[in-house]
Amino acid sequence: VKAFAYGSGSMEVASWLQYHRVDYLSVAYPDEGVVLRQNGIKLPIMVLNSDPETYHKLFEYDLEPEIYSLRTLKAYLHFKTNLYPDSTSKIHLKLDTGMHRLGFIEEDLETLIEQINETPNVEIASIFSHLVGADDVEHIDFSKRQIAQFESMSSKIIEKLSYKPIRHICNSAGIIRFPEAKYEMVRLGIGLYGIESSG
């Protein structure tokens, strides 16, 4: 429901989705999540973009940030340990499976797991990646390589945990084009509004 639910009205759409018992909502920025909380939305909310200046909102309004690098992980864990040591928080780890923009790379995984396991009251709610070309038939092979990379990297993380986070890689186009990669969750974004981007 990011960007005011693509212009459809975030509160209206979020209320409707909550009524139909979806598992998660996702917003672009903490302020969008704050508005939903202030208007009675109780579903878990994942925040795609947050920075240290907005971390307090994550804890005050029970919002769950995307963490995409060792730098952002360190900043978040430092903030939590110093200001909210007793609060349990959930985070979502983004893996880089080929987009080369944001996300943990293979070489980060050992340090990532160590830092998570050493910090009390922090749980990985989900592990995810983004299929950069799922809506384009020309990129099917690349998307399949991304899915294989995601499977490998996410499995390495899960092996070192005492619980199993949700995994998700399919966006709207990926849901249709790669049904074998639905894992435990999918991210229906623009498809929710009737746009079928894969053709």
Side-chain angles (χ1 to χ4, degrees):
V1 292
K2 63 183 183 181
F4 300 103
Y6 294 81
S8 299
S10 55
M11 266 313 305
E12 292 82 356
V13 174
S15 296
W16 179 77
L17 293 171
Q18 181 168 268
Y19 174 78
H20 287 287
R21 290 184 248 166
V22 301
D23 294 302
Y24 256 92
L25 297 177
S26 180
V27 296
Y29 298 101
D31 285 345
E32 293 176 311
V34 169
V35 169
L36 296 180
R37 287 282 183 253
Q38 290 172 338
N39 285 277
I41 299 300
K42 295 182 173 23
L43 291 171
I45 299 174
M46 175 182 172
V47 179
L48 299 174
N49 305 284
S50 56
D51 53 51
E53 290 75 38
T54 63
Y55 284 169
H56 64 284
K57 294 179 183 178
L58 302 177
F59 288 91
E60 288 170 23
Y61 291 94
D62 190 23
L63 306 173
E64 304 173 12
E66 168 190 320
I67 303 292
Y68 58 83
S69 68
L70 291 176
R71 178 183 57 79
T72 58
L73 178 66
K74 182 179 178 182
Y76 179 80
L77 294 181
H78 178 77
F79 182 93
K80 186 211 179 300
T81 302
N82 284 295
L83 294 175
Y84 295 90
D86 299 323
S87 296
T88 299
S89 64
K90 293 184 177 183
I91 61 174
H92 300 262
L93 301 181
K94 184 172 190 177
L95 306 183
D96 180 0
T97 56
M99 196 169 177
H100 304 307
R101 192 171 70 184
L102 296 174
F104 289 95
I105 58 174
E106 189 91 35
E107 290 74 20
D108 296 335
L109 297 187
E110 190 173 332
T111 304
L112 160 66
I113 294 162
E114 282 177 10
Q115 291 187 12
I116 294 290
N117 285 334
E118 287 172 3
T119 308
N121 304 323
V122 174
E123 179 182 323
I124 301 170
S126 81
I127 305 169
F128 73 103
S129 192
H130 177 64
L131 294 175
V132 63
D135 54 349
D136 195 331
V137 70
E138 292 177 19
H139 300 307
I140 284 180
D141 288 341
F142 180 70
S143 294
K144 287 183 176 179
R145 286 197 298 274
Q146 281 194 275
I147 292 165
Q149 177 80 355
F150 177 70
E151 173 67 31
S152 171
M153 291 175 70
S154 61
S155 294
K156 286 178 182 175
I157 296 169
I158 291 169
E159 283 171 10
K160 303 291 185 180
L161 301 173
S162 60
Y163 56 93
K164 188 175 180 184
I166 294 167
R167 290 188 284 182
H168 48 108
I169 192 170
C170 284
N171 53 10
S172 292
I175 291 167
I176 292 170
R177 206 181 288 283
F178 305 105
E180 71 279 8
K182 289 179 181 175
Y183 290 96
E184 294 80 36
M185 191 160 73
V186 294
R187 298 188 307 273
L188 184 61
I190 195 70
L192 182 63
Y193 307 95
I195 295 172
E196 204 289 276
S197 55
S198 71

